């Protein structure tokens, strides 16, 4: 990124100001990036743990597969998934508060004895599945924010800060050269005036 500037004191002051802003902001952005990186890892680990827990739970009920044929799939429905918002390193992230279910009507006398247990099992499996999917999405959101933050760190560290430092150095050199030329010109004029006075 080419930084636009002019060879004067105003431009030098503006570039110094911009450089200070970026140098001060860089540690904060790096901290944000590392915090987001940790949160991504936590969300990923939690999603994997929940996925494994779901697989184990499904496997443990596989022996009851014949009984599930008798189970009325309309008995349990997910009504709502309640979320709240929490900020992690300045990024708004959803938090899973509660999964709400509604139960269909069934006769305790005409339904199989294990129907109540079946409802509890379905609720448990659905809750684990929803939570697992939630953490996968949370991980994706956090990872997106982390990538954006990493881009900003790289932009500051590798492009803007060196660019501003280089521009400031160029302006300072130019102003020094201009000052040296001015002093040299004044010396030449002074020497000529002395020679002319001596000749008179």
């Amino acid at each position: 990124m080419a930084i636009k500037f002019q060879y004067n004191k105003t431009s030098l002051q503006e570039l110094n100001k911009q450089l200070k802003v970026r140098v001060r902001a860089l540690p904060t952005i790096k901290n944000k990036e590392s915090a987001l990186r940790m949160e991504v890892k936590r969300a990923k680990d939690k999603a994997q743990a929940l996925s494994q827990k779901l697989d184990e739970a499904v496997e443990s009920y596989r022996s009851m597969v014949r009984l599930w044929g008798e189970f009325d799939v309309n008995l349990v429905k997910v009504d709502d998934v309640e979320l709240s918002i929490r900020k992690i390193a300045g990024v708004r992230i959803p938090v899973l508060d509660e999964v709400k279910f509604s139960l269909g009507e069934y006769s305790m006398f005409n339904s199989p004895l294990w129907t109540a247990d079946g409802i509890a099992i379905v609720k448990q499996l659905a809750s684990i599945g929803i939570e697992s999917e939630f953490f996968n999405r949370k991980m994706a959101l956090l990872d997106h924010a982390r990538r954006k933050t990493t881009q900003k760190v790289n932009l500051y560290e590798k492009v803007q800060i060196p660019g501003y430092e280089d521009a400031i150095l160029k302006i300072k050199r130019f102003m020094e050269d201009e000052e040296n030329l001015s002093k040299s010109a004044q010396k030449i004029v002074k020497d000529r005036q002395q020679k002319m006075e001596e000749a008179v």
Side-chain angles (χ1 to χ4, degrees):
M1 181 185 101
I3 293 169
K4 294 179 181 176
F5 61 92
Q6 295 173 346
Y7 291 97
N8 57 38
K9 283 185 180 179
T10 308
S11 185
L12 181 64
Q13 288 172 342
E14 183 59 34
L15 291 177
N16 273 321
K17 187 172 150 189
Q18 292 296 328
L19 178 63
K20 281 180 187 172
V21 166
R22 280 154 180 78
V23 168
R24 273 195 221 126
L26 190 59
T28 306
I29 298 170
K30 281 184 172 181
N31 287 342
K32 178 179 178 177
E33 180 195 22
S34 62
L36 286 171
R37 191 178 304 277
M38 283 175 36
E39 287 296 327
V40 167
K41 186 176 179 348
R42 276 193 205 126
K44 183 179 181 183
D45 291 347
K46 183 76 173 169
Q48 287 174 342
L50 285 166
S51 180
Q52 186 176 351
K53 184 178 176 183
L54 181 63
D55 291 344
E56 288 168 1
V58 167
E59 192 59 40
S60 71
Y61 298 121
R62 202 167 292 284
S63 61
M64 299 171 56
V65 82
R66 285 191 203 117
L67 294 175
W68 287 112
E70 301 172 10
F71 189 78
D72 183 3
V73 292
N74 296 320
L75 280 180
V76 182
K77 289 183 183 171
V78 176
D79 263 358
D80 193 17
V81 177
E82 288 187 1
L83 302 173
S84 58
I85 300 293
R86 190 179 102 192
K87 277 193 173 186
I88 297 174
V91 179
R92 292 169 52 92
I93 298 298
V95 176
L96 181 63
D97 291 331
E98 185 183 0
V99 180
K100 290 190 173 181
F101 295 96
S102 63
L103 299 177
E105 291 187 21
Y106 68 98
S107 168
M108 293 182 79
F109 301 107
N110 296 335
S111 300
L113 290 173
W114 63 275
T115 301
D117 291 337
I119 290 171
I121 291 168
V122 169
K123 281 173 135 182
Q124 177 198 9
L125 293 177
S127 293
I128 295 170
I130 289 168
E131 197 175 356
S132 175
E133 181 59 28
F134 171 80
F135 274 98
N136 279 324
R137 295 216 178 145
K138 181 178 178 178
M139 180 184 67
L141 276 171
L142 286 165
D143 194 48
H144 176 73
R146 183 204 53 80
R147 272 189 266 118
K148 289 278 187 196
T149 307
T150 302
Q151 287 174 350
K152 196 167 191 175
V153 166
N154 289 338
L155 176 68
Y156 277 21
E157 246 180 0
K158 296 176 181 164
V159 179
Q160 289 187 345
I161 290 175
Y164 280 114
E165 287 171 343
D166 187 46
I168 288 167
L169 190 63
K170 284 179 183 176
I171 294 171
K172 283 182 177 176
R173 283 186 182 154
F174 177 81
M175 290 171 75
E176 284 172 8
D177 289 347
E178 208 172 53
E179 190 178 326
N180 289 340
L181 283 172
S182 175
K183 284 180 182 175
S184 297
Q186 287 173 358
K187 192 174 182 183
I188 291 170
V189 169
K190 190 176 179 183
D191 286 347
R192 281 188 184 163
Q193 284 178 345
Q194 277 182 341
K195 285 179 184 176
M196 286 174 79
E197 287 174 7
E198 290 172 6
V200 173

